[in-house]
Amino acid sequence: MTGLRGGAHGGGAYDDRTYGDGTRAVRAGLPEPAKNEPTLPGPVFAAHFHLPGEPTGPYTYGRDENPTWTHLERAIGELEAPGKDVQTLVFASGMAAISAVLFSQVRTGDVVVLPDDGYQALPLVREQLTAYGIDVRTAPTGGNAQLDVLDGARLLWIETPSNPGLDVCDIRHLVTAAHAQGTLVAVDNTLATPLGQRPLELGADFVVASGTKQLTGHGDILLGYVTCADAGLTASVRRWRKIVGAIPGPMEAWLAHRSLATLELRADRQCANALAVAEALRGRGGVSGLRYPGLPDDPSYKIASAQMRRFGSVVSFTLPTRARAEGFLAALRLVDEATSFGGVRSTAERRGRWGGDAVPEGFIRFSAGAENPADLVADVLHALDESAA
Ligand SMILES: *Cc1c(COP(=O)(O)O)cnc(C)c1O
């Protein structure tokens, strides 16, 4: 395929560690400029590729590889591990990526450690793993409690910051303990994005994420990815993708790549907005359990500021009752009541309505968008007052 830059493992000119995040984001994964070609080649819609004679790659059948994925995979790899030789695999969703790592790496009789306060579909994954004879142990994200249940584990799964509780754990510390006894470590990097945290640099074997959230940031596509530096581990995840076929469409992959160019701009505004909202909510009547890893008095702040470069767009807090939380959500004008997070338009929801998370009835997960900070803060405070009346 013409126009693809770098070797088989990426390693392009723009993953240089000396460039700033914005520079790397706008150039990530782009092919070498070629006369009369677009900067970012359009989506390649192909179920199969011309393939006379011996069936050799890179592009044979659309479930295995697609040039639009290749560009996006290089881009994500450049952001997750600048200057490093890594491979990225894109998936149809974050859950497809998570399942691909877990189900490709563990066998009957293995021990897996999962967070007990992570993404709401993890309990379903746990049930499925257990049904296959895998011993699943769980631990909370904060306080490095994973260490107590790590003994003999094949794989440690970390989600930091955790969704929706926003606890943070020390990735490097846990990786060191895990590797000392031969345990693999996967980190769900959804909340942080690669511009907020680089788990591979902290020693993790796999970084896994939903690209549905802040990575792509417009609330219009589902996507997932796995990035890994080990060729053997990558091959086993790639094989799983081929078996299960949980692949993204070329249009989704292309839209995701297009969105990466603004990742730094979005992340900077959204993080600033999240901090502004958290600061505005701090100490307000009726608000308890306020969490944002970027607030200096947050329990997550110390570790977060040591291992993260941005603190994400999500703020969580609890209002006294379910009715007060519903009234608050209804009174917001700039914030849509919706699930998911990380989009350019602020969203919020009463997380307890799903029944999956261990949270109080009045618990709100708030995702700061890219609105002007003064407008957003004013809207939030107005809704808080109105719901109290
Ligand atoms: C949303 C989310 C997922 C699942 O991603 P999908 O793209 O919805 O499948 C996994 N982990 C975390 C932390 C998430 O927030």
Side-chain angles (χ1 to χ4, degrees), residues 111-115 135 137-139 146 149-150 153 155-158:
V111 173
V112 174
V113 178
L114 296 181
D135 178 7
R137 300 176 191 155
T138 60
Q146 299 91 339
V149 291
L150 207 54
L155 179 70
L156 167 63
W157 193 272
I158 294 172

Side-chain angles (χ1 to χ4, degrees), residues 93-96 98 119 159 163 188 190-191 210-213 222-224 341 365:
S93 67
M95 284 313 299
I98 288 173
Y119 183 61
E159 184 181 306
N163 169 17
D188 185 327
T190 303
L191 233 126
S210 169
T212 311
K213 317 289 171 53
L222 283 106
L223 190 89
F341 58 85
R365 188 180 69 187

Side-chain angles (χ1 to χ4, degrees), residues 117 140-143 159-169 291 293 298-300:
D117 52 359
T141 297
E159 184 181 306
T160 180
S162 61
N163 169 17
L166 304 178
D167 272 324
V168 166
C169 57
R291 296 299 303 270
D298 189 275
S300 293

Side-chain angles (χ1 to χ4, degrees), residues 142-143 166-168 290-293 295-304:
L166 304 178
D167 272 324
V168 166
L290 176 68
R291 296 299 303 270
Y292 183 63
L295 269 183
D297 51 0
D298 189 275
S300 293
Y301 183 76
K302 189 159 172 271
I303 304 172

